[in-house]
């Protein structure tokens, strides 16, 4: 009897080991590969007629305090808001004591206000709502934070992680099919946010959750697209967001090297993935109806020999009508453009990530 029991135990142990191995193989599968594509060089006459200038920082004192250029936005009065990390790293593990948001007069470069000190850990995405409130996503706090125009924190969205959640999410980076149940209002490194005129907000919950989700002003889920992949309505790092006057959403689906267009209700409408688009990090719909994107290149996405930084202008059907810019540190050049904004006059502003600055591209009249 003892011999039979030992045999049964061995058989059971083997069965468990086989099941665990099979489960591990299954969970390790399904990884969405980063899209690397050949992007054509700029053709003669393709570049738009813009004059470049650095908007901020202008002084040596400001340069010493400026960090990685994360976000840029224009409010309804034409003032420019610039989000940076004040010299702290993306994976920073402490609250940043210095101001991280600069409000500017874009014409003169005058600093009108600085705020955000003691609020953020790794600020990432920025938008200014129609009511003047300033919204920021933080990829370390896993929050969407709403501030007043003067920098007072009005509300924080996002649920605190239980003790095991960070470990489980790190495991899911290696095992993409590992189930990690999360509350609908819990974010996992959210990258960008858009606010509707009704006060609802849409979040690109990008680095880990691969979802785009819409919430009421009270933080209740309205809808979400939450699928990792390269198919229609699936994402592989939704990184930037914008909306047009009809409420259509434009998602810079970074690792899929495309822009996806969604209806106001979250239905997939189109994917723009032509080679000239490159790898969009940020996207903005201008008042002129054109869609502007920044191609951050492949250097941070598995193509270390593919340094590229450009601005791409598309029409409402996703056709590229102009491209300009190049990699570098000179005025008009960029090193990994991270976000983009366009004012009512058609001037383009770019958060130049690795050059720690915001640049302005003014139309030559």
């Amino acid at each position: 009897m003892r011999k039979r029991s030992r045999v049964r135990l061995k058989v059971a142990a083997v069965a468990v080991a086989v099941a665990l191995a099979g489960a591990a193989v299954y969970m390790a599968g399904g990884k969405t590969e980063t899209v690397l594509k050949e992007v054509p060089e700029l053709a003669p006459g393709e570049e738009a007629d813009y004059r470049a200038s650095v908007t901020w920082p202008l002084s040596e004192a400001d340069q010493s305090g400026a960090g990685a250029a994360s976000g840029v936005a224009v409010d309804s009065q034409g003032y420019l808001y610039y989000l940076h990390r004040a010299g702290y790293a993306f994976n920073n593990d402490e609250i940043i004591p210095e101001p991280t948001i600069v409000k500017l007069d874009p014409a003169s470069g005058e600093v009108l206000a600085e705020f955000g000190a003691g609020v953020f850990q790794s600020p990432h995405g920025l938008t200014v709502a129609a009511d003047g409130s300033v919204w920021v996503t933080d990829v370390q706090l896993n929050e969407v934070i709403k501030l007043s125009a003067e920098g007072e924190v009005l509300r924080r969205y996002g649920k605190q992680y239980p003790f095991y959640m960070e470990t489980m999410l790190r495991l899911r980076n290696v095992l993409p099919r590992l189930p990690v149940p999360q509350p609908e209002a819990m974010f996992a490194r959210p990258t960008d946010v858009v606010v509707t005129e009704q006060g609802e907000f849409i979040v690109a919950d990008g680095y880990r959750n691969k979802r785009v989700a819409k919430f009421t002003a009270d933080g209740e889920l309205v809808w979400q697209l939450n699928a990792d992949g390269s198919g229609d309505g699936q994402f592989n790092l939704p990184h930037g967001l914008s909306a047009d006057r009809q409420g259509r959403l434009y998602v810079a689906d970074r690792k899929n090297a495309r822009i996806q267009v969604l209806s106001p209700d979250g239905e997939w409408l189109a994917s723009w993935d032509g080679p000239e688009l490159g790898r969009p990090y940020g996207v903005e719909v201008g008042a002129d109806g054109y869609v502007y994107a920044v191609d951050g290149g492949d250097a941070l996405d598995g193509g270390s020999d593919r340094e590229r930084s450009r601005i791409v202008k598309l029409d409402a059907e996703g056709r590229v009508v102009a491209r300009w810019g190049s990699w570098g540190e000179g005025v008009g050049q960029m090193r990994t453009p991270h976000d983009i904004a366009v004012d009512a006059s058609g001037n383009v502003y770019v958060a130049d990530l690795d050059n720690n600055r915001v640049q302005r591209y003014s139309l030559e009249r």
Side-chain angles (χ1 to χ4, degrees), residues 15-334:
V16 169
V18 170
L20 289 174
V25 169
Y26 170 78
M27 287 186 290
K31 182 176 177 60
T32 304
E33 297 299 326
T34 300
V35 173
L36 292 170
K37 59 188 179 185
E38 293 299 324
V39 178
E41 294 298 322
L42 296 175
E46 187 177 12
E47 293 197 51
D49 195 11
Y50 285 86
R51 182 180 68 255
S53 60
V54 175
T55 302
W56 194 88
L58 297 176
S59 69
E60 290 186 10
D62 288 336
Q63 288 171 0
S64 66
S70 189
V72 63
V74 178
D75 71 10
S76 59
Q77 301 179 62
Y79 293 120
L80 187 69
Y81 289 75
Y82 171 56
L83 179 69
H84 65 99
R85 300 191 187 122
Y88 290 77
F90 176 87
N91 288 316
N92 174 44
D93 59 3
E94 60 183 295
I95 296 297
I96 299 172
E98 291 86 12
T100 55
I101 300 174
V102 185
K103 181 180 179 180
L104 299 152
D105 179 339
S108 65
E110 179 187 358
V111 175
L112 304 176
E114 291 188 75
F115 53 89
V119 176
F120 307 109
Q121 189 169 321
S122 186
H124 192 277
L126 170 72
T127 194
V128 181
D131 64 1
S133 58
V134 179
W135 295 63
V136 177
T137 63
D138 192 302
V139 294
Q140 290 297 329
L141 295 176
N142 297 303
E143 291 181 333
V144 176
I145 302 169
K146 178 184 178 181
L147 304 94
S148 70
E150 293 74 37
E152 177 189 359
V153 175
L154 300 176
R155 183 153 185 178
R156 293 176 179 265
Y157 298 91
K159 293 187 176 295
Q160 293 296 311
Y161 283 9
F163 71 93
Y164 59 83
M165 183 59 67
E166 181 67 21
T167 299
M168 294 297 289
L169 290 171
R170 289 176 182 269
L171 279 173
R172 195 174 66 181
N173 287 343
V174 181
L175 305 172
R177 289 175 176 164
L178 177 70
V180 183
Q182 292 176 268
E184 294 169 339
M186 179 179 285
F187 301 118
R189 296 201 169 186
T191 51
D192 205 1
V193 59
V194 164
V195 183
T196 71
E197 291 185 357
Q198 293 73 36
E200 298 173 312
F201 63 99
I202 303 96
V203 180
D205 195 14
Y207 278 105
R208 286 178 170 164
N209 272 342
K210 311 296 191 297
R211 71 168 176 159
V212 173
K214 183 176 183 177
F215 298 87
T216 67
D218 291 326
E220 299 296 323
L221 183 71
V222 178
W223 56 257
Q224 65 176 343
L225 293 178
N226 189 13
D228 184 357
S230 57
D232 297 342
Q234 298 178 329
F235 303 102
N236 190 7
L237 183 45
H239 193 264
L241 278 179
S242 187
D244 64 18
R245 292 175 179 175
Q246 290 73 43
R248 290 184 293 257
L249 295 166
Y250 299 78
V251 185
D253 189 6
R254 177 173 140 184
K255 290 197 172 183
N256 279 329
R258 65 183 180 179
I259 291 173
Q260 293 200 69
V261 187
L262 309 177
S263 76
D265 297 321
E267 297 178 358
W268 176 86
L269 298 176
S271 292
W272 303 343
D273 58 1
E276 294 85 2
L277 180 61
R279 183 176 306 286
Y281 272 54
V283 61
E284 176 82 349
V285 182
D288 55 10
Y290 287 102
V291 178
Y292 297 78
V294 280
D295 172 10
D298 299 334
L300 300 181
D301 293 282
S304 59
D305 60 338
R306 294 167 175 252
E307 294 175 337
R308 187 179 65 252
S309 294
R310 288 183 186 148
I311 300 168
V312 184
K313 181 178 179 180
L314 307 99
D315 67 16
E317 302 301 321
R319 292 182 290 259
V320 174
V321 298
R323 294 188 298 156
W324 70 95
S326 62
W327 177 274
E329 299 178 4
V331 175
Q333 296 181 316
M334 298 162 284

